Amino acid sequence: MLVCGLLTAAPAPAGGPATQAPSEMDAEQLEKVLELHRVEQQEVRLVLLPAVVTTRKGRPVRGLEASDFRLYEDHVPHEIRYFQTEDEEPVSIAFLLDLSGSMRQVGKLDEAKEAIRVFIDSLKLGDRFGLVGFADDQVAWITDFTDDRDDFLVRLRVQEAYGQTALFDALAATPKLVDERIRGRKAIVLITDGYDNASKLNNFKSMNLARAVGVPIYTVAFSTLAERLKPKGSISPGMAVLRRFSNETGGRLFSVADPDELKEAVLEIQEELRFQYVIGYHSMREVWDGGFRRITVELDRKGFEIRTRRGYYATP
């Protein structure tokens, strides 16, 4: 969300130069003269929403116009005042890697490292990437944003799994870490087995912190055999929480069962991030009290899916 101040200067009185205040002018007269020269400031807030539109098969949709979108804030229609497409601006990706002990099982950590390598190989000149690891009560940068592929992969290769999974704490902390370090297009790609057993925050609190920042979270989660045997369309409670984190921030959840699905997921994320629409509007609400405002963006065209963040906090 961007905040812009518009300044409008009051005109000088007609008929000559600006009025001078004589020494004998009383307080009331002085106030009237100063009022002529007072600058009024009106604050206008532009809410910006990066949005991805895909077919039902996940392919990016190009060529849409502002008139193809409808936007609502707390169910109230709002006019789109800013519209732009982005496909050339570099992308910064923060890989949020689960390093907990459960990732040692059946080679999940090695598969995750290989998927990240495939992702890095597909990026373009100017793109940047960083690595954040989490286990126990630690959420820390392993490699800050860089375009040095070789150095990044060396640091990635030596990571080992240990400790418990503080997943919710990591999801709460990482968006702010990423937002503080980088401007422009950015996203978090979380790779995890999805089992939280050590967080100090519950999923509700961590959700609020994550969506306050506005960095999309794409989640690639290893599914268990039990989850794969569930009826089509059903989802486990753990996966449901991860899906909500992704949906609320404008990202997407991928549930994967093998290395091929994992590689396919990261390549699909990369392609999706490459082309975005940026939609902007002015909120009709005049009071900025810190409350959460729900955003809904719809398309007039059928057969497409749109993903953007689901709202923002109206910070004063």
Side-chain angles (χ1 to χ4, degrees):
M1 181 172 63
L2 300 181
V3 180
C4 304
L6 301 182
L7 299 180
T8 306
T19 307
Q20 299 290 331
S23 58
E24 68 273 21
M25 183 174 290
D26 61 32
E28 184 177 355
Q29 291 174 314
L30 179 60
E31 178 61 27
K32 289 181 179 178
V33 171
L34 292 176
E35 185 66 29
L36 293 174
H37 300 278
R38 186 162 292 152
V39 175
E40 297 179 356
Q41 179 173 335
Q42 180 182 8
E43 189 177 57
V44 178
R45 301 198 178 196
L46 181 65
V47 181
L48 292 177
L49 302 170
V52 173
V53 180
T54 62
T55 65
R56 287 174 181 166
K57 293 185 177 181
R59 306 297 296 178
V61 176
R62 300 171 180 265
L64 299 178
E65 304 291 341
S67 57
D68 293 314
F69 295 84
R70 295 190 304 274
L71 189 148
Y72 304 85
E73 182 183 282
D74 290 336
H75 307 291
V76 177
H78 280 61
E79 180 185 357
I80 294 174
R81 305 295 296 272
Y82 176 90
F83 185 83
Q84 181 178 314
T85 58
E86 291 185 345
D87 58 357
E88 297 298 331
E89 183 182 354
V91 179
S92 297
I93 309 294
F95 295 97
L96 177 57
L97 181 60
D98 186 347
L99 293 175
S100 62
S102 59
M103 289 287 287
R104 286 196 299 262
Q105 299 174 8
V106 295
K108 286 184 284 190
L109 182 56
D110 289 336
E111 292 175 10
K113 291 178 181 180
E114 176 61 15
I116 292 174
R117 185 196 65 77
V118 170
F119 200 122
I120 297 299
D121 285 344
S122 70
L123 293 177
K124 296 182 178 181
L125 184 66
D127 292 340
R128 304 178 72 199
F129 32 89
L131 181 63
V132 181
F134 68 96
D136 285 340
D137 60 351
Q138 295 184 334
V139 182
W141 285 98
I142 296 169
T143 301
D144 208 338
F145 283 108
T146 181
D147 59 2
D148 187 332
R149 176 184 177 278
D150 293 337
D151 181 66
F152 178 92
L153 292 178
V154 167
R155 299 293 301 276
L156 173 67
R157 196 174 300 122
V158 299
Q159 299 307 310
E160 296 182 357
Y162 66 96
Q164 294 183 299
T165 311
L167 177 59
F168 299 149
D169 289 354
L171 285 168
T174 306
K176 188 171 186 297
L177 292 176
V178 172
D179 199 48
E180 288 174 344
R181 277 171 163 77
I182 208 75
R183 299 178 69 105
R185 283 200 292 172
K186 51 201 167 188
I188 294 166
V189 177
L190 163 67
I191 304 180
T192 181
D193 59 9
Y195 295 100
D196 187 295
N197 55 21
S199 285
K200 297 176 182 177
L201 298 175
N202 60 32
N203 63 36
F204 178 77
K205 179 65 174 177
S206 57
M207 174 79 69
N208 288 342
L209 291 171
R211 69 186 183 183
V213 181
V215 180
I217 299 173
Y218 286 83
T219 303
V220 181
F222 291 96
S223 61
T224 64
L225 177 61
E227 288 166 337
R228 295 194 291 274
L229 293 176
K230 286 180 176 290
K232 188 176 181 179
S234 63
I235 188 170
S236 68
M239 286 288 185
V241 170
L242 291 174
R243 181 169 65 182
R244 189 177 176 206
F245 266 97
S246 293
N247 290 347
E248 287 288 329
T249 59
R252 185 178 172 190
L253 169 67
F254 295 82
S255 176
V256 301
D258 57 51
D260 289 338
E261 287 186 359
L262 183 57
K263 292 178 184 179
E264 184 179 336
V266 297
L267 289 175
E268 197 165 329
I269 294 169
Q270 194 272 346
E271 184 176 21
E272 187 168 298
L273 289 173
R274 188 59 56 192
F275 183 84
Q276 293 181 336
Y277 297 94
V278 181
I279 302 169
Y281 73 97
H282 295 151
S283 176
M284 296 180 184
R285 306 270 288 278
E286 296 182 357
V287 177
W288 295 78
D289 56 3
F292 186 73
R293 297 180 181 175
R294 179 66 63 178
I295 297 172
T296 304
V297 182
E298 298 176 350
L299 279 169
D300 284 333
R301 302 191 186 188
K302 295 182 179 180
F304 297 153
E305 296 179 358
I306 181 169
R307 280 187 293 280
T308 187
R309 58 192 174 107
R310 299 290 182 86
Y312 68 98
Y313 287 94
T315 53

